[in-house]
Amino acid sequence: MVQRLEGRVAVVTGGGSGIGLATVRRFASEGAKVVVADLDPASGKAAADEVSGLFVQVDVTDEEQVKALFQTTVDTYGKLDIAFNNAGISPPDDDSILTTGIEAWERVQKVNLTSVYLCCKYALPHMQANGKGSIINTASFVATMGAATSQISYTASKGGVLAMSRELGVQFAREGIRVNALSPGPVNTPLLRELFAKDPERAARRLVHVPLGRFAEPEEIAAAVAFLASDDSSFMTASNFLVDGGIAGAYVTPL
Ligand SMILES: NC(=O)c1ccc[n+]([C@@H]2O[C@H](COP(=O)([O-])OP(=O)(O)OC[C@H]3O[C@@H](n4cnc5c(N)ncnc54)[C@H](O)[C@@H]3O)[C@@H](O)[C@H]2O)c1
């Protein structure tokens, strides 16, 4: 594995599972020191132990805890180079606008969007002090594409992540800090597997729109995150990095 992240210090929120876990492994294999931030202590600590990193239990919706996460990172490893703000939820009670209540709406906004505001707010001053940094915020292809199978608050939250990332990328560009949104297509996670194993029709309804004809593996998304984190993407900021199997470019897909 190339050592593009040798000597870099990275924070990964939601690092205990799925895309976050695959990225923790990828960052470490490229030489980074990794801080795993997760609400769940069991999976978060296991991920950190696996890469000889640091686990910090954090609820990313809590301002004080997020502030402490980045301070602890700098206190432990001396600086902050990379923030992958990735923790997010997609609960079943976030559905059509006609049936989604205000409580579900607000819960999803807090975990998916307010958390990214907090993580950027408290990561940026450490990167300013360091004179450089790369922030990657996990949006989704649904920030770019509309779906008739709506999850209204989720989609709106990811649109917010995309717009916020663009604005921060522009604002901090001349301070050496890059901010990009990562927009994955559907990823083969335990949740998605369970949902679609039970209901092949639901899976087929989605897969027909993916030119590559399958869902992504978390490692394929992690590879894109490592690119955005590394100097290989040095001329990229304020962008929407779609890793979606071609969904956003497709009209008629291959048979
Ligand atoms: N899986 C997909 O198909 C897909 C597609 C596009 C975008 N995304 C986005 O990618 C990100 C990761 O998704 P995933 O599929 O890997 O999810 P996942 O459920 O496998 O992992 C999410 C992690 O975030 C943690 N988490 C949840 N709430 C938290 C909180 N309040 N504070 C701290 N940690 C918290 C969980 O404990 C878990 O470890 C999310 O932002 C999601 O919206 C996922």
Side-chain angles (χ1 to χ4, degrees), residues 115-136:
S115 70
V116 176
Y117 150 77
L118 289 173
C119 288
C120 290
K121 186 179 176 72
Y122 290 108
L124 278 162
H126 295 297
M127 292 180 171
Q128 286 178 307
N130 202 20
K132 64 182 171 66
S134 175
I135 296 178
I136 304 107

Side-chain angles (χ1 to χ4, degrees), residues 184-232:
V187 182
N188 186 10
T189 56
L191 192 82
L192 186 127
R193 267 201 302 277
E194 195 195 296
L195 195 72
F196 295 147
K198 277 191 200 141
D199 193 344
E201 215 172 288
R202 282 181 83 166
R205 184 164 182 201
R206 287 158 179 81
L207 277 171
V208 71
H209 296 287
V210 188
L212 283 180
R214 63 177 178 83
F215 298 128
E217 295 302 321
E219 292 73 21
E220 294 177 290
I221 307 300
V225 184
F227 167 70
L228 291 174
S230 79
D231 295 342
D232 278 354

Side-chain angles (χ1 to χ4, degrees), residues 3-251:
Q3 295 294 295
R4 292 181 299 185
L5 306 179
E6 186 69 52
R8 306 282 166 93
V9 178
V11 170
V12 178
T13 72
S17 173
I19 295 168
L21 176 59
T23 303
V24 166
R25 291 174 172 149
R26 176 75 190 224
F27 278 1
S29 74
E30 291 210 32
K33 294 190 174 72
V34 186
V35 177
V36 179
D38 206 292
L39 191 59
D40 178 40
S43 61
K45 186 159 186 332
D49 288 349
E50 190 185 316
V51 299
S52 303
L54 179 72
F55 171 62
V56 181
Q57 187 175 8
V58 180
D59 179 347
V60 289
T61 67
D62 184 301
E63 182 163 10
E64 285 311 311
Q65 290 184 31
V66 170
K67 192 175 175 181
L69 163 69
F70 290 105
Q71 191 57 53
T72 302
T73 300
V74 172
D75 291 346
T76 307
Y77 294 119
K79 60 178 179 149
L80 173 71
D81 297 295
I82 300 156
F84 180 35
N85 302 321
N86 162 76
I89 55 169
S90 159
D93 55 350
D94 176 24
D95 202 279
S96 159
I97 193 168
L98 299 176
T99 54
T100 301
I102 192 80
E103 190 279 325
W105 166 272
E106 285 178 344
R107 178 163 25 92
V108 171
Q109 293 295 316
K110 263 184 111 173
V111 180
N112 289 6
L113 179 58
T114 307
S115 70
V116 176
Y117 150 77
L118 289 173
C119 288
C120 290
K121 186 179 176 72
Y122 290 108
L124 278 162
H126 295 297
M127 292 180 171
Q128 286 178 307
N130 202 20
K132 64 182 171 66
S134 175
I135 296 178
I136 304 107
N137 296 324
T138 306
S140 165
F141 71 108
V142 300
T144 301
M145 312 282 296
T149 51
S150 185
Q151 293 179 286
I152 193 61
S153 185
Y154 182 90
T155 296
S157 73
K158 295 302 187 180
V161 169
L162 179 58
M164 179 162 45
S165 305
R166 183 192 306 131
E167 187 136 303
L168 296 178
V170 172
Q171 185 182 351
F172 294 97
R174 296 194 188 174
E175 294 185 54
I177 301 166
R178 299 184 295 110
V179 186
N180 290 291
L182 172 84
S183 288
V187 182
N188 186 10
T189 56
L191 192 82
L192 186 127
R193 267 201 302 277
E194 195 195 296
L195 195 72
F196 295 147
K198 277 191 200 141
D199 193 344
E201 215 172 288
R202 282 181 83 166
R205 184 164 182 201
R206 287 158 179 81
L207 277 171
V208 71
H209 296 287
V210 188
L212 283 180
R214 63 177 178 83
F215 298 128
E217 295 302 321
E219 292 73 21
E220 294 177 290
I221 307 300
V225 184
F227 167 70
L228 291 174
S230 79
D231 295 342
D232 278 354
S233 59
S234 54
F235 203 59
M236 284 186 68
T237 196
S239 83
N240 178 17
F241 199 56
L242 277 156
V243 185
D244 68 350
I247 297 174
Y251 170 32

